[in-house]
Amino acid sequence: MSVNNSVVVADAIELRSEMEERRERGGEKPARPRKHRVTWRKALKRDWRLYSLLVLPLVFLLIFRYLPMAGNVIAFRRFRPGGNMFGDEWVGFRYFELFVNDPTFWRAFWNTFMLGGLSLVIVFPLPIILALMFNELRSQRFKRIAQSISYLPHFMSIVIVAGMVLQLTSLRGSINQGLEAFGSSPIPFMQLPQWFPTVYITSEIWQTVGWGTILYLAALTTIDPQLYEAARIDGASRWRQIWHVTLPGIRPTMVVLLILNIGTFMAVGFEKILLLYNPLLYPTADVIATYLYRVGIISSNFSYATAIGLFEAIIGLTLILTANAISRRAVGTSLW
Amino acid sequence: MTQQIREARRRPVRRGALFTGVVLTASALVLSGCGADGGGGSADGESGDFDFTGKDVAAMEDYGVGDTFQATEPVEFGLFYRDHPNYPLKDDWLILEALEENQNVTFDIVSAPLSEWDQRKSLVIGAGDAPEIISVTYPGQEVAFVAGGAILPASDFVQYMPNYMDKVEKWDLEADLDQMRQEDGKYYVFPGFREEPRAEYSFAVRSDVWEELGLSLEPATFDELRDQLRTVKEAYPDAYPMTDRWSANGPLEATLSFVSPNFGTSAGWGYGEGLTWDGGEFVYTGATDEYRDLIEFYASLVEEGLLDPESVTQDDDQAVQKFASGSAMSIATNDQEIVRYRTTVDELGSDVEMTQIRVPAGPAGDNFQAGQRTVNGFMLSSDVAESENFLAMLQFLDWLYYSDEGLEFAKWGVEGETYTKDADGTRVLNENITVMGLNPGAPENLQADYGFSNGVWTLVHGSTVELDRSMLRPEVLDFVEAMSTKKVLELAPPAPLSEIEREQVSLYQSALKDHVSQNTAAFILGQRSLDEWDAYVSELEGMNMPQYLELVNAAQQRYADAN
Amino acid sequence: MTDRLFRPAVQGGIRDSRSYTIFRMINAGLIVVICFVTLYPFLNVIAQAFSAEAYINSGQVNLIPRGFNVTTFGYVMGDPMFWRNYGNTVLYTVVATVIAMILTTTFAYALSKRNLKGRSFFIGVAVFTMFFNGGLIPNYILISTLGFKNTLWAIVIPNAISVFNLLVMKAFFENFPEDLEEAAAIDGLNTYGILWKIVLPLSKAVIATMVLFYAVSFWNSWFTAFLYMDKAELYPVTVYLRNMLAAATGTEALGTGGTGEASQVASNVKAVTMLLTVLPIICLYPFIQKYFVSGVMLGSVKQ
């Protein structure tokens, strides 16, 4: 490699601090190439190598994602297991009507929304905070050990986690023992619907926060140490360094993750709820996935499930488009 | 976060097949008991005779009851096999060898693990890819596949299965078979038969405590049982006289299923579609007075501190821990689980003793659940009707699953090689082989090493009472015999639904059942006072209960008129 | 050691403020608590895996194994099918991760170029698939028709691209200093060269992250395997262990399941199966960790 590193590096530093300043000033879009109409022929000629990189993935998506999507048509047709793959007869919006008119579905919808929303609001910021906390550790060894330990809950099988949660919250379990020590009477957490969101979110926090820091830690490594150096020379305390260097450095990652999470927040974890809930908790614990599961056992109705799936998909898509648009306006970074 | 989102994205998917298995069994157990689908005709001489020309290659000319099946030339049948981790499939199993040698039959096996059995089955049939013989299917599981035409209508072909017909006649199974009929009057699964239903679930009580307090180990009624629990409570105020388990999908599912017939109703696993036949029409089980009586009894137990309130929701592990450590003095059990409880306390070196007691009688009598005689069986994919070995297949299946000889073979193995018969006909397992607690400690296992007593090739414990009991421990035999004096309740009349009706009804059923489960737990715990019973019933009415009953009663009428 | 942790550090001649020092102490303390809370349940599971059945069933096992034995381990690990399936898992994971990384990286890099015509469209194409999928049966029929059933390809191909990972990677590439790429282009490297020689080597952190994410997800996956594999020899170990777990827990409840199969598997099968599945992957992490160094070593590039 005969590129003269020092020249490149010096230029790069200058460019970068320019970009940093701009970012600090409040999010202008990074320099865009002049907008002139580029025709496809020109684009292909100019960027054919880039396009060539796209070929394989696009073919993959086409075959393995878009082709099966044709099967979604059974939401509008009556599908009989063993019969025609695309359904046997057209029924229009019948299945949609069926679930729209089912109050249990709407309860499940609302619960999905609540649990997903709470997850988003409460659980999303925590990995960021934890990542920052890790970043402030001086001892590298301690940091590494602590990080590895924090990932452990992610690997625990859901069955075991559920068992643990049930054990902890039982009438003679640790939490109630603690309560009794403070003089209050034991609470049957898993029998009162109002406690379920708390139990669920807490177990989600426990299981996902450590693992969630990985991306942020990776992002933190891309922050140029020179910026810290520069800030320090300017007299900034560590606090200000965090505020002016660290946070802006991981902002792109935060934004991307936030948008993605907003788009998928309705995809509340099915297996964990299935293992944790019981009929007493249906009012707050029953989500769309568990509702479908119970209905599905009785009817094995693929069409019905597909109709609901389409409904959820449309919601998710709308959410992510909206989140993306808002993000572009407000912050300047967006998914596309 | 990434992984969980990705994993959760997979919808529509029914995961956690162990739960599927439980609930499906439940539905199946009661679908056979409480009027589900059906319609038309008796089992004989169905839709005319089937023309077997070209389809009787390798079939026996003369095959009847008492004959040993042997294909006239080697045949291979496709088999959807359920791989159970206790006995993973082995190519050199004696059962496979024997079948090849004696019956000239081999299998083209498509395996699916036990953990995802029902889901995989549903997928494979749904995609039209099912192998010829689909094993381990409970009556009720086939309903979803009927309309698509993927499954062979069994009732059309049982006339060619002499042993099947023989048992139907001998054991008077007509009414049980009628329960399985669909709207077109046919049934689509080949059920396993039970000559007599066998009781499995009951209470396990601490016999040492019971004896210490002078309590009888055979309480005659539930009231007596409750008094016994009161005595236990007085003597041991820090422990719960009773805790419970198997509440994974609903409160006290196993227990309520064996207790409820004695109260004149059905609940728990036995709840099924929630229909009770009152002699003239169907009423909704969850709203009946008998159901209320059952709940009242249990609510009283919780109120008096006799039943651990966590029983209605706790994990099985927690329940077992309570019983094994002495914080509870009784628990629900079946004949296998009690062995596990015992091993636990034995290893801990305590003097705890326990027995499985006979289920007491209740206000509605000394009863046992209806319709437990058609059980786990198999289905045939509809394209077997095109196969040239069709008749041979029917004969083979008839021999293996319904003939006394075949049943004995599949359960016990080969006489002389795995077991011997005494002069009086008692079968004795070879000393070096163990199975189900017989000959404990023996080096070889009948299931894992030989492939017999395998849930795929045996239909439920051997069908006949004699075979069924032949492998039981003495303790279990005592229990079974004590329970056999109970009166088996009668089946409700069939009420077959059309495809469209079923689509709507499944939503009603699901919503109603959820509400009933929820409130059963709430009433039992005292979260909701039983004074609110009427309010609860009106809530059910607001959830389309009348519409549901209307549909079902109309269906029953329709069937009755046509027959 | 504590000295180093708690004494206000001095960096470049500037002492940490007092508030910051206190913060550091609290920070370290909190992290210790977090470690404890996350480690404790894991230790409990390990203890259970080595404990005797009786103690587990009566709830007496905490952090220390009681009635130490390795019976369940022996039972599971003594089964040749277990090792066979384990080998399958390793194979599937490696192949799947390689394929996934190739597809995702090239896709992400191409999409990160802001002046690529049609970029929004292509991103949209990917994002759309995050929400809409065909469902079980169409996918099954597709894989079946392609002849992938009962082969390695049924497992490693269908989930090759995770759009989530794709978008995150794209974001990282977008933040990659353009100037380095421009400089390299001037030097005569084409797109492929830039990607291979400049961008990738300096993006170790994100690549390591993605490898980790993909590897863990493929390692833990059992769903595709159970859908498309007909023979027990082809299962990954996760299916094997799930099956074992189902027998231990499900069949009790089923009662009349088949011929009343007893739960012959011990109570600690859950703990054992979890440990066996998880340990290798946990061991993988330390190797990945060393890649989490600063990617773009501006200012410290040694000549």
Side-chain angles (χ1 to χ4, degrees):
Chain A
M1 195 164 115
S2 59
V3 174
N4 191 336
N5 272 348
S6 45
V7 170
V8 169
V9 163
D11 284 339
I13 293 180
E14 208 180 288
L15 243 183
R16 176 151 272 214
S17 24
E18 245 180 71
M19 280 163 63
E20 282 300 325
E21 275 174 32
R22 238 184 279 144
R23 244 182 258 156
E24 277 202 346
R25 262 190 266 122
E28 283 175 28
K29 296 195 201 129
R32 271 186 174 258
R34 286 165 297 290
K35 252 210 151 145
H36 51 65
R37 282 265 157 230
V38 182
T39 63
W40 271 104
R41 277 186 77 199
K42 266 207 180 142
L44 276 169
K45 220 171 127 192
R46 178 184 70 186
D47 293 324
W48 68 267
R49 289 196 187 85
L50 279 178
Y51 285 110
S52 71
L53 288 178
L54 286 179
V55 166
L56 261 186
L58 283 178
V59 164
F60 167 83
L61 283 180
L62 185 67
I63 300 182
F64 292 95
R65 295 276 180 270
Y66 282 94
L67 211 47
M69 266 192 223
N72 276 326
V73 75
I74 66 173
F76 302 98
R77 296 169 65 90
R78 175 163 290 118
F79 173 77
R80 297 197 178 92
N84 187 345
M85 174 172 78
F86 294 112
D88 288 312
E89 56 196 28
W90 185 265
V91 294
F93 282 96
R94 175 182 158 77
Y95 294 108
F96 290 89
E97 278 171 38
L98 271 183
F99 79 72
V100 163
N101 289 327
D102 185 2
T104 325
F105 171 78
W106 289 109
R107 181 183 69 181
F109 181 81
W110 176 248
N111 289 338
T112 314
F113 185 82
M114 282 300 296
L115 286 178
L118 281 174
S119 263
L120 191 61
V121 168
I122 299 180
V123 183
F124 180 77
L126 294 177
I128 303 176
I129 299 178
L130 188 61
L132 290 175
M133 281 168 69
F134 277 136
N135 201 39
E136 296 307 310
L137 288 177
R138 287 290 158 75
S139 159
Q140 283 303 313
R141 230 170 123 235
F142 178 43
K143 177 174 169 188
R144 232 177 263 162
I145 296 177
Q147 279 173 17
S148 305
I149 293 182
S150 75
Y151 303 151
L152 287 178
H154 174 87
F155 292 104
M156 304 220 24
S157 82
I158 291 203
V159 173
I160 296 200
V161 173
M164 253 185 245
V165 171
L166 290 173
Q167 191 103 346
L168 270 176
T169 53
S170 67
L171 280 178
R172 292 188 191 174
S174 316
I175 299 186
N176 277 315
Q177 280 177 9
L179 277 178
E180 280 178 359
F182 281 108
S184 27
S185 53
I187 305 179
F189 292 103
M190 297 311 281
Q191 292 182 343
L192 298 171
Q194 60 265 35
W195 279 104
F196 184 77
T198 317
V199 171
Y200 176 74
I201 298 283
T202 315
S203 73
E204 277 290 284
I205 294 177
W206 180 80
Q207 211 177 4
T208 64
V209 165
W211 187 255
T213 60
I214 293 188
L215 270 176
Y216 294 111
L217 289 170
L220 284 169
T221 66
T222 64
I223 299 178
D224 178 7
Q226 299 251 343
L227 292 172
Y228 284 113
E229 182 87 31
R232 212 174 349 105
I233 291 174
D234 280 345
S237 72
R238 189 68 188 168
W239 291 117
R240 298 199 68 93
Q241 286 177 32
I242 297 177
W243 186 252
H244 286 292
V245 179
T246 318
L247 277 180
I250 58 174
R251 189 165 71 183
T253 315
M254 276 200 281
V255 170
V256 167
L257 283 178
L258 183 62
I259 298 179
L260 284 173
N261 276 306
I262 289 180
T264 55
F265 92 98
M266 294 279 283
V268 178
F270 163 76
E271 217 173 332
K272 182 186 280 187
I273 296 190
L274 191 71
L275 290 168
L276 283 177
Y277 85 166
N278 60 65
L280 283 170
L281 298 178
Y282 285 166
T284 51
D286 191 24
V287 293
I288 296 182
T290 49
Y291 160 81
L292 259 183
Y293 179 76
R294 283 199 315 279
V295 170
I297 286 186
I298 298 183
S299 65
S300 217
N301 193 336
F302 285 91
S303 289
Y304 187 66
T306 312
I308 294 187
L310 277 182
F311 175 66
E312 283 183 291
I314 294 181
I315 294 184
L317 193 61
T318 316
L319 280 171
I320 208 175
L321 288 173
T322 320
N324 196 55
I326 294 182
S327 163
R328 190 183 307 138
R329 294 280 170 76
V331 184
T333 341
S334 60
L335 277 186
W336 66 87
Chain B
M1 242 188 301
T2 324
Q3 282 66 33
Q4 275 159 342
I5 292 178
R6 274 193 40 224
E7 302 286 289
R9 270 276 101 218
R10 296 182 220 286
R11 231 171 289 105
V13 163
R14 292 169 275 292
R15 310 235 306 254
L18 53 93
F19 293 96
T20 315
V22 169
V23 182
L24 273 169
T25 319
S27 328
L29 285 176
V30 178
L31 276 176
S32 30
C34 265
D37 311 274
S42 57
D44 307 304
E46 299 275 349
S47 39
D49 281 336
F50 186 80
D51 182 12
F52 279 102
T53 28
K55 307 211 174 94
D56 55 0
V57 175
M60 282 173 74
E61 278 283 328
D62 239 326
Y63 172 73
V65 179
D67 292 331
T68 306
F69 175 76
Q70 185 174 46
T72 52
E73 43 180 89
V75 279
E76 190 183 64
F77 299 133
L79 175 67
F80 195 45
Y81 178 84
R82 184 188 72 171
D83 199 2
H84 194 290
N86 280 357
Y87 38 89
L89 180 65
K90 293 203 178 97
D91 290 327
D92 59 354
W93 267 346
L94 181 59
I95 190 174
L96 292 173
E97 276 176 22
L99 282 175
E100 187 176 353
E101 213 181 288
N102 302 331
Q103 273 65 47
N104 242 337
V105 168
T106 49
F107 297 101
D108 174 21
I109 293 188
V110 170
S111 234
L114 167 71
S115 51
E116 325 298 341
W117 175 248
D118 290 314
Q119 212 179 337
R120 184 88 198 279
K121 196 185 345 172
S122 167
L123 173 70
V124 148
I125 299 178
D129 202 18
E132 293 174 321
I133 307 176
I134 303 163
S135 60
V136 194
T137 305
Y138 291 80
Q141 287 182 338
E142 83 285 13
V143 175
F145 309 116
V146 168
I151 304 296
L152 188 78
S155 49
D156 281 351
F157 297 97
V158 293
Q159 55 186 303
Y160 305 108
M161 298 170 74
N163 285 293
Y164 182 101
M165 303 300 296
D166 179 51
K167 292 209 154 54
V168 167
E169 207 187 299
K170 265 192 342 210
W171 296 344
D172 209 7
L173 289 165
E174 291 290 347
D176 300 77
L177 288 176
D178 283 343
Q179 296 295 316
M180 303 187 316
R181 289 184 191 277
Q182 307 298 313
E183 205 196 356
D184 58 2
K186 311 182 187 187
Y187 57 85
Y188 286 77
V189 65
F190 293 85
F193 292 144
R194 270 214 137 110
E195 189 179 347
E196 271 176 31
R198 168 147 83 83
E200 288 190 42
Y201 286 83
S202 173
F203 298 108
V205 303
R206 285 275 298 272
S207 34
D208 55 317
V209 171
W210 252 247
E211 275 163 19
E212 179 199 329
L213 297 175
L215 299 170
S216 151
L217 282 174
E218 293 177 350
T221 62
F222 275 99
D223 285 332
E224 196 183 319
L225 179 64
R226 183 167 42 189
D227 287 333
Q228 290 187 342
L229 293 177
R230 285 182 183 129
T231 321
V232 172
K233 178 97 194 157
E234 271 174 38
Y236 292 90
D238 288 332
Y240 284 114
M242 182 179 274
T243 186
D244 223 325
R245 58 180 293 189
W246 285 307
S247 298
N249 296 314
L252 310 173
E253 288 192 305
T255 315
L256 289 182
S257 75
F258 65 76
V259 169
S260 53
N262 299 289
F263 283 79
T265 183
S266 48
W269 282 340
Y271 190 78
E273 306 199 324
L275 298 168
T276 308
W277 180 254
D278 71 354
E281 60 167 5
F282 282 111
V283 291
Y284 193 67
T285 317
T288 55
D289 290 331
E290 290 84 5
Y291 195 80
R292 187 209 159 116
D293 291 339
L294 173 68
I295 298 192
E296 218 176 318
F297 178 78
Y298 264 90
S300 73
L301 290 183
V302 170
E303 206 183 354
E304 293 184 38
L306 303 174
L307 174 65
D308 171 15
E310 283 194 301
S311 319
V312 295
T313 53
Q314 73 187 341
D315 211 81
D316 278 356
D317 284 340
Q318 286 173 284
V320 173
Q321 274 177 17
K322 284 179 186 165
F323 183 62
S325 61
S327 344
M329 298 299 175
S330 62
I331 190 175
T333 186
N334 62 32
D335 49 63
Q336 305 288 340
E337 280 299 290
I338 196 171
V339 173
R340 196 174 129 204
Y341 304 155
R342 261 198 214 111
T343 335
T344 307
V345 298
D346 283 347
E347 275 182 36
L348 287 177
S350 54
D351 305 315
V352 166
E353 279 173 20
M354 56 187 86
T355 17
Q356 188 175 4
I357 64 171
R358 181 187 187 279
V359 177
D366 192 17
N367 301 325
F368 190 80
Q369 238 181 323
Q372 299 292 296
R373 297 204 296 157
T374 45
V375 283
N376 179 17
F378 62 89
M379 296 191 278
L380 290 179
S381 152
S382 51
D383 48 7
V384 302
E386 309 300 319
S387 155
E388 61 174 13
N389 297 318
F390 187 31
L391 184 58
M393 188 186 293
L394 288 176
Q395 291 175 346
F396 169 69
L397 293 170
D398 180 59
W399 175 81
L400 182 66
Y401 290 111
Y402 300 104
S403 73
D404 288 334
E405 189 189 7
L407 288 166
E408 184 185 58
F409 164 72
K411 189 171 162 87
W412 279 92
V414 179
E415 190 177 348
E417 282 194 54
T418 53
Y419 71 100
T420 50
K421 255 192 187 152
D422 278 353
D424 60 355
T426 328
R427 297 178 194 81
V428 177
L429 197 58
N430 284 5
E431 267 175 22
N432 61 327
I433 307 182
T434 175
V435 71
M436 313 257 217
L438 295 180
N439 293 348
E444 294 183 322
N445 183 296
L446 188 64
Q447 293 174 310
D449 297 307
Y450 293 90
F452 296 106
S453 278
N454 177 328
V456 172
W457 286 300
T458 337
L459 283 190
V460 202
H461 312 265
S463 282
T464 60
V465 170
E466 186 253 330
L467 261 182
D468 187 11
R469 298 191 184 176
S470 59
M471 262 189 193
L472 296 180
R473 304 190 312 270
E475 170 196 38
V476 182
L477 272 176
D478 289 338
F479 171 69
V480 166
E481 256 154 50
M483 289 289 281
S484 62
T485 55
K486 277 185 172 294
K487 172 178 163 216
V488 178
L489 293 177
E490 283 194 8
L491 295 164
L497 291 168
S498 76
E499 198 188 350
I500 311 255
E501 285 171 344
R502 207 175 304 125
E503 260 177 11
Q504 180 62 71
V505 151
S506 61
L507 288 176
Y508 292 158
Q509 274 177 2
S510 172
L512 286 169
K513 186 163 180 186
D514 285 347
H515 198 70
V516 170
S517 293
Q518 205 183 322
N519 282 284
T520 304
F523 282 131
I524 292 182
L525 285 179
Q527 273 181 13
R528 196 172 185 186
S529 152
L530 274 162
D531 298 335
E532 294 186 38
W533 181 261
D534 291 328
Y536 152 76
V537 173
S538 4
E539 283 159 19
L540 284 177
E541 279 169 10
M543 298 176 95
N544 295 311
M545 183 172 82
Q547 288 87 325
Y548 175 49
L549 289 176
E550 214 181 288
L551 272 174
V552 170
N553 279 316
Q556 186 270 327
Q557 199 58 46
R558 193 168 63 207
Y559 174 89
D561 289 341
N563 303 286
Chain C
M1 223 295 251
T2 40
D3 225 24
R4 231 189 332 132
L5 286 174
F6 295 123
R7 186 183 47 190
V10 177
Q11 293 180 74
I14 300 177
R15 202 168 260 272
D16 282 337
S17 67
R18 198 190 183 96
S19 67
Y20 185 64
T21 315
I22 300 180
F23 161 75
R24 273 180 54 215
M25 294 200 305
I26 301 182
N27 189 32
L30 270 177
I31 291 193
V32 168
V33 169
I34 292 178
C35 284
F36 180 71
V37 167
T38 43
L39 192 58
Y40 179 88
F42 201 74
L43 292 176
N44 177 289
V45 170
I46 297 183
Q48 275 198 22
F50 289 101
S51 296
E53 169 127 6
Y55 294 103
I56 301 176
N57 278 344
S58 56
Q60 288 180 30
V61 177
N62 230 325
L63 276 179
I64 313 195
R66 301 195 59 179
F68 186 90
N69 68 74
V70 287
T71 356
T72 320
F73 277 106
Y75 177 74
V76 172
M77 287 162 64
D79 182 2
M81 185 61 79
F82 171 77
W83 293 106
R84 183 97 191 250
N85 289 159
Y86 222 90
N88 289 342
T89 304
V90 172
L91 178 67
Y92 297 155
T93 304
V94 168
V95 175
T97 308
V98 167
I99 294 182
M101 283 308 291
I102 294 177
L103 285 178
T104 311
T105 314
T106 51
F107 205 11
Y109 182 69
L111 290 180
S112 69
K113 298 291 163 216
R114 289 204 179 82
N115 54 4
L116 186 73
K117 185 171 171 71
R119 177 176 176 255
S120 296
F121 169 72
F122 292 125
I123 297 180
V125 161
V127 170
F128 192 78
T129 65
M130 247 171 75
F131 300 97
F132 292 87
N133 58 32
L136 274 184
I137 294 195
N139 276 303
Y140 181 86
I141 296 182
L142 175 69
I143 300 288
S144 219
T145 323
L146 286 172
F148 284 173
K149 264 179 66 176
N150 290 321
T151 66
L152 167 75
W153 307 113
I155 301 203
V156 306
I157 299 213
N159 291 321
I161 298 187
S162 150
V163 179
F164 188 92
N165 291 351
L166 173 74
L167 292 172
V168 169
M169 228 178 172
K170 172 176 85 67
F172 269 81
F173 284 146
E174 277 169 357
N175 284 319
F176 191 85
E178 292 173 347
D179 33 288
L180 278 179
E181 292 184 54
E182 283 167 16
I186 294 171
D187 186 51
L189 285 178
N190 61 25
T191 313
Y192 302 138
I194 296 178
L195 175 61
W196 184 249
K197 290 208 172 106
I198 311 273
V199 177
L200 289 185
L202 292 175
S203 303
K204 289 207 175 97
V206 72
I207 296 204
T209 313
M210 289 304 148
V211 166
L212 186 64
F213 281 173
Y214 272 129
V216 169
S217 125
F218 286 123
W219 182 272
N220 288 332
S221 82
W222 50 270
F223 197 71
T224 15
F226 106 77
L227 277 183
Y228 302 125
M229 298 307 199
D230 289 336
K231 315 255 172 253
E233 303 88 66
L234 297 172
Y235 297 156
V237 79
T238 34
V239 174
Y240 176 90
L241 293 171
R242 255 183 90 91
N243 206 16
M244 183 163 287
L245 194 59
T249 50
T251 3
E252 306 164 1
L254 277 178
T256 47
T259 48
E261 354 274 21
S263 59
Q264 291 164 3
V265 196
S267 312
N268 62 358
V269 70
K270 268 192 271 195
V272 170
T273 56
M274 196 197 93
L275 281 180
L276 287 172
T277 324
V278 149
L279 277 172
I281 261 296
I282 292 186
C283 295
L284 177 65
Y285 181 70
F287 295 104
I288 302 270
Q289 220 173 8
K290 66 179 179 188
Y291 292 106
F292 278 76
V293 295
S294 194
V296 185
M297 298 284 246
L298 294 175
S300 55
V301 174
K302 303 260 188 294
Q303 254 60 341

